[in-house]
């Protein structure tokens, strides 16, 4: 289960080669480090070189670059290695969740009529507060402005007090900044306290309060030093319009908004909920089960600036697990019970701290820290998945949402946060959304989104029921017949019993609210005691929702995988696990000469048949340079085809992180590399099979 | 290569069981049929039952169904089997194209600034003509209205003449109808000819001409019998807006339209072209190579009605293959040279016919029917792919675009058309787009999208060049210096030689277009003969573009796979090849009793380890019903776990199309089914290994 990361770490403790790159130690041996050590690791990360590598090797790049890119911030194109890395992460996600847990996969539309998001609450509430620069009209996110300016002032204060201005706080929650470089001005101790208190609560302020803060503390646009206007709400959904304009407005009973107003989904979840009945039927009416969807979503961020961490178009993977609200146990919980996680609880945060605890999922659920087994199960499964693809567990924590951060209907919510050069970033959310979503869509459309469960023991009840003589009723009361019926049927059991007695005595009178009187007789109705047998329990299931931002995971994974060899700091290495590496094996013929072609062909097709994705690099540069290029692409293994291969049918096998090289026959090397890629052996085992390569090449 | 379809057909000719369902013959033994026979097959297709099956099993369903669905036609959600089928088709596509051909995969954004589509021509030309009902305001597609009404009148004429009104023409091109049921009125022979001629040219009319046709032939909205207005252009791209309004309009030099106007891409292609330079660099500057992308695209169809065949949101898979315009040979062409295709040439269509020929790709290229080897290579590869996933080759043809159907810049274009119950539908386009796309983006942005090729033999040329004394030039002519320079540099070689002679004689005069005269002297310039050596050839590559509409392929594949057993016509069977079937193996325990659980677990995990996707169905119905449900889901193999399995460790293996059952030990059956799914053996071979099951079950 923990193959990914553990596999990489094990590489750094090989015994078959002595010189292990120190940087590898720094990057990957962090599990046992103290927290301070971890931070040091983070700071030794060379972001400029890292970004240059990603750009040089076209992992991703700003979209529409040749069009100047302006006006389209927050949009990125993935190049070949980025696309493959993403495809491999998705393939692993599918295996880990959909296949392993027999989830029902969906692929629903992005384009969504406005009424759906009206129901879900997105039209009213999926918004950020923005302020405008009063002179330039530049638009800023209000909370980022407040956070950024106050942080800059605090940094200026530290500088003035002779304390080194601290490196950017590693907590993303406090980093909502904009611009941010203030003069070294000392602040009153009182003011420092005020600022710190504001920063800690930044997520809780309303638009009005953010505007108040801007006035009270004279917060200005740091780029221009101009004043800003009152905060306005900006809905983060992209709007569009379906079909030609003027098409049947109001034709659909469910649509209050113009028929063709639509939004691009900001999450895939609503597509699951709307199909709940079909999914339940597909699952033979049984519960619990989960639906899963991988797809593009869109958020019209006010001013995206943080690379892949805050974008306007992104790929998500979402699970909606439907569960009986009265039984949130999980049948496979025992499998994850002992997994130990780093938890940041809401109570700790609410008291203004961010200290984490290490605790097993089993204990966390038993102590009520995590609300229920199913939520705990998914948190643990998320943890396993992230480790499998190569996330450093020492830089992964689960942060619980605070009370006022969470939607009112949610029962509990935890974010998997991954530490990176910008701080701690939410990469996966895992929420117990209770019955909210299914209930609101059901109420709006009248379509029941419920589970009907056959009860083993029917529930038997008895009650008094009025039995009407409809004909006589109509004749007696005409237009008021309905009113009379309603009056009687609204009566509670004791009143019905009283009425029953009166009717047995003869006639009686019932009064409507507006004082009208109706005489009731046994000819019109009798009250009878009846037995009711309820054999079906009908309920709205609760939803546990793990929701993955794949771009953020991909980016943090790249950061965690990056290091550089001491002898060649200009070039980097991406120590991606085989399971997600864009290319698993690089085949390097000594040159593009024809005599190597048949062997290259043979190796390449044998690997393909074994399901291992390889690439050939026969470009006109040295073997060393070709390997270095592929270290940057994260290719874990390299095979060299040289004259010895032609003469003796031997090849060398190179491991990326150690640059260790072994030698063997063509078939031995292929068999070994296939097992390495599949994870059935590690490099130590490979070294036991194949002798070290002594570096002597057969010559022409 | 042709595993998919051939594999299925081979099932119908098994010898290990005698009773072969007749319907299977009808559906799948069409390769050797005459054309008339094929049509008969198409007509025996029971569309109502087919659609009921897809709906019942949730292959796909109209999106927002519980919201009434109105106003959002053309949007569909894929349920679990549809999603898996799509994911498997995509996985196979990736293998067949991206991996096999070492293409560079991309994942670019859907949201695209307007200026990009302004350059590509989509803003001006990606539109359909629509007309409005003058009374109801209903919107109709103009060509569909014209085609539909004229066809209905022709059908009425046939009826009046006592000829049976023909079944709907199987040619999609002529089926642009709307409404369509006219009274049985005989028409003049002249009028019939006119109508037929109009229908044949329906794709060529301008909006003006379509309006003219509506007036001349009194064409009305068939739903209301109201007149329609003048045709108006309706752009098919969905518009949106990036960022908060009022953001920096006109800030970007490339944007003529408002900065934040954007469109959802109607194809993925532009994302490839804009990244061309990065892709070329990634490929070490070498050409030819191809980029590939699988992703969502959007088209705001005026009135989509044809299910998955015409939708507003769809998944595409597109390849852009970049090639030297002077050498469109393909190094792997020999591998496909002998593949025989059904071709419908443009010359045939232009003469008003639709007769196809059968010809090898090699011959078609040699005879100039297909423009070049690279185009021919991809057409053949498309053919192989479609067969592999299960498309019936007898219902697949390649139709060449007619002259005026094709964009002016395109060199040649062929559509893979697949026959289905609505006619022939374009499912894949394969075009030689010449240098158009790269040229226009390059011209608009000034960013060169070219290949720079080192020439083995530099090209040496000599020419006369003016050499300026810039200082003297400025002193003499001041503001006019530039004008003078331009005048001289615009001169052709003979004029330059004349000027050279005159300068050698002393001064001379040159006139600007507006008649201004400038005196030139040897102090200002001399003309010298210089040698130029060109060692780099710079050119814009041509693009061959295979473009796949995955939804259309998925839908036609489902139609081709559908049939029903004679003894149970209410339930259908989907004979999907294993390679794309949503589930490969169904595991059916006799009941949900606990004693079967360990075996089910064992089989399930052994299959998973072998990479075979299985599902367990332990629901509370008979084994027969559970198999029937999975026949509808296209699951090719079933394994029954019963008391014999517990007692003797034997299981039965069932094949979907024949319902044939074999028996063997657990490990034998697993090994056999793994090979069946991987395609390394067929059912005949499986029958040779495993004895027939005699139907006697071990009892409790």
């Amino acid at each position: 289960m923990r193959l990914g990361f553990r596999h990489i770490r094990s590489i750094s403790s090989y015994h078959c080669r002595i010189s292990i790159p120190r940087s590898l130690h720094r990057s990957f041996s962090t599990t046992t480090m103290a927290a301070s050590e971890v931070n040091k690791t983070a700071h030794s990360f060379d972001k400029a070189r890292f970004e240059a590598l990603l750009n040089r090797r076209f992992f991703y790049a700003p979209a529409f670059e040749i069009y100047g890119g302006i006006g389209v911030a927050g949009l990125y194109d993935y190049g070949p290695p980025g696309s493959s890395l993403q495809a491999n992460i998705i393939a692993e996600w599918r295996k880990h969740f959909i296949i392993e847990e027999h989830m029902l996969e969906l692929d629903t539309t992005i384009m969504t009529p406005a009424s759906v998001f009206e129901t879900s609450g997105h039209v009213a509430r999926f918004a950020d507060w923005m302020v405008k620069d009063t002179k330039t009209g530049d638009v800023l996110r209000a909370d980022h402005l407040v956070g950024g300016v106050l942080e800059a002032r605090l940094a200026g204060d530290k500088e003035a007090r002779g304390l080194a201005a601290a490196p950017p706080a590693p907590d993303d929650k406090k980093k909502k900044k904009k611009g941010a470089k203030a003069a070294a001005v000392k602040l009153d101790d009182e003011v420092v306290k005020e600022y710190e208190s504001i920063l800690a609560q930044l997520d809780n302020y309303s638009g009005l309060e953010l505007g108040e803060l801007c006035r009270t503390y004279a917060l200005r646009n740091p780029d221009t030093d101009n004043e800003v206007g009152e905060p306005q709400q900006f809905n983060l959904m992209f709007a569009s319009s379906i079909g030609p304009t003027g098409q049947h407005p109001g034709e659909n009973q469910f649509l209050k908004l113009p028929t063709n107003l639509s939004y691009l989904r900001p999450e895939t979840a609503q597509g699951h909920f709307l199909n709940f009945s079909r999914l339940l039927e597909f699952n033979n009416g049984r519960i619990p089960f989960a639906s899963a969807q991988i797809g593009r979503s869109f958020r019209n961020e006010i001013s995206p600036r943080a690379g892949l961490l805050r974008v306007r178009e992104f790929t998500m993977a979402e699970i909606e697990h439907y569960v009986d609200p009265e039984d949130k146990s999980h049948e496979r919980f025992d499998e994850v019970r002992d997994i130990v996680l780093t938890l940041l609880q809401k109570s700790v945060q609410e008291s203004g701290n961010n200290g984490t605890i290490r605790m097993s999922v089993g204990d966390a659920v038993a102590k009520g820290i995590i609300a229920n087994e199913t939520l705990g199960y998914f948190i643990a499964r998320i943890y396993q998945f992230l480790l499998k693809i190569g996330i450093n567990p020492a830089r992964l924590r689960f942060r619980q949402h605070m009370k006022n951060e969470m939607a009112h209907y949610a029962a509990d919510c935890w974010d998997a946060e991954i530490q990176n050069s910008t701080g701690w970033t939410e990469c996966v959310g895992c929420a117990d959304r209770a019955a909210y979503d299914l209930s609101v869509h059901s109420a709006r459309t009248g379509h029941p989104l419920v589970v009907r469960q056959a009860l083993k023991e029917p529930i038997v009840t008895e009650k008094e029921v009025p039995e009407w003589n409809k004909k006589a009723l109509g004749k007696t009361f005409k237009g008021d017949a309905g009113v009379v019926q309603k009056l009687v049927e609204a009566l509670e059991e004791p009143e019905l019993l009283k009425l029953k007695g009166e009717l047995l005595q003869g006639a009686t009178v019932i009064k409507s609210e507006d004082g009208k009187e109706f005489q009731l007789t046994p000819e019109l109705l009798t009250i009878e005691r009846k037995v009711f047998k309820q054999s079906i329990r009908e309920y709205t299931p609760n939803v546990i929702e793990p929701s993955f931002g794949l771009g953020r995971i991909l980016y943090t994974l790249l950061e965690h995988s990056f290091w550089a060899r001491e002898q060649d700091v200009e070039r980097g290495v991406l120590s991606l696990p085989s399971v997600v590496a864009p290319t698993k094996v690089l085949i390097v013929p000594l040159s593009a000469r024809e005599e190597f072609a048949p062997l290259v062909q043979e190796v390449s097709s044998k690997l393909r048949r074994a399901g291992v994705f390889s690439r050939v690099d026969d470009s006109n540069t040295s073997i060393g340079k070709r390997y270095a290029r592929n270290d940057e692409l994260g290719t874990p293994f390299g095979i060299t085809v040289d004259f010895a291969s032609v003469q003796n049918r031997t090849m060398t096998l190179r491991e990326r992180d150690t640059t260790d090289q072994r030698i063997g026959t063509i078939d031995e090397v292929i068999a070994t590399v296939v097992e390495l890629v599949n994870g059935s052996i590690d490099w130590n085992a490979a070294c036991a099979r194949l002798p070290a390569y002594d570096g002597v090449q057969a010559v022409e």
Side-chain angles (χ1 to χ4, degrees), chain A residues 9 28 111 130 329 365 373 385 414 461 501 568 573 613 665 690:
Chain A
R9 273 201 304 127
F28 294 103
M111 187 67 73
M130 64 175 187
S329 65
V365 172
E373 269 194 10
F385 172 75
W414 292 80
T461 46
D568 188 7
V573 181
F613 183 49
T665 67
L690 303 174

Side-chain angles (χ1 to χ4, degrees), chain A residues 506-700:
Chain A
T508 181
V509 165
I510 190 166
K511 258 192 202 168
S512 72
E513 262 185 31
D514 52 4
K516 226 171 166 178
E517 292 195 346
F518 302 98
Q519 195 185 34
L520 299 176
T521 62
E523 287 70 50
L524 293 174
L525 83 161
T526 54
I527 311 281
E528 281 159 34
R529 188 155 196 85
K530 293 211 163 174
V531 174
F532 290 88
K533 214 165 119 180
Q534 191 197 346
S535 54
I536 299 284
R537 173 182 159 227
E538 199 177 90
Y539 64 90
T540 303
N542 279 12
V543 170
I544 311 287
E545 179 190 80
S547 170
F548 295 70
L550 294 179
R552 289 180 171 193
I553 293 173
L554 182 142
Y555 175 82
T556 51
L557 171 59
L558 286 169
E559 269 205 12
H560 289 197
S561 303
F562 174 75
W563 57 287
R565 303 191 200 283
E566 281 188 354
Q567 67 274 28
D568 188 7
V569 289
E570 284 305 319
R571 285 171 180 276
V573 181
L574 289 177
S575 287
L576 295 166
S578 289
V579 72
V580 293
T583 304
K584 315 301 181 195
V585 181
L586 181 75
I587 303 170
V588 190
L590 194 59
S591 73
R593 290 169 63 149
E594 268 180 27
E595 55 208 302
F596 300 124
L599 277 183
V600 166
Q601 185 58 39
E602 180 188 340
V603 175
S604 161
S605 73
K606 279 183 175 167
L607 286 173
R608 189 164 58 229
R609 249 172 287 149
V612 170
F613 183 49
S614 69
R615 278 199 185 267
V616 178
D617 186 350
D618 60 359
S619 62
N620 194 19
T621 48
S622 73
I623 288 186
K625 276 198 181 144
R626 282 182 269 167
Y627 275 137
R629 185 157 65 205
N630 276 275
D631 288 345
E632 293 199 333
L633 290 167
T635 311
F637 303 105
I639 287 175
T640 313
V641 173
D642 58 13
F643 291 110
S645 314
V646 179
Q647 284 169 26
N648 321 327
R649 289 188 59 81
T650 60
M651 304 191 297
T652 60
L653 175 62
R654 174 188 184 267
E655 196 278 329
R656 174 194 59 207
D657 297 343
T658 55
T659 71
D660 194 13
Q661 293 197 55
R662 320 298 295 186
I663 189 162
T665 67
I666 290 179
D667 289 329
E668 278 169 358
V669 168
I670 289 175
T672 305
V673 85
V674 166
E675 288 193 61
L676 282 168
V677 168
N678 293 343
S680 51
I681 61 168
D682 65 8
W683 185 242
N684 271 331
C687 291
R689 278 192 203 175
L690 303 174
Y693 175 54
D694 61 7
V696 178
Q697 277 172 7
V699 286
E700 200 172 356

Side-chain angles (χ1 to χ4, degrees), chain A residues 76-90:
Chain A
Y76 290 87
D77 290 342
Y78 286 21
S83 300
S84 295
L85 178 57
Q86 181 182 248
N88 294 342
I89 291 174
I90 288 173

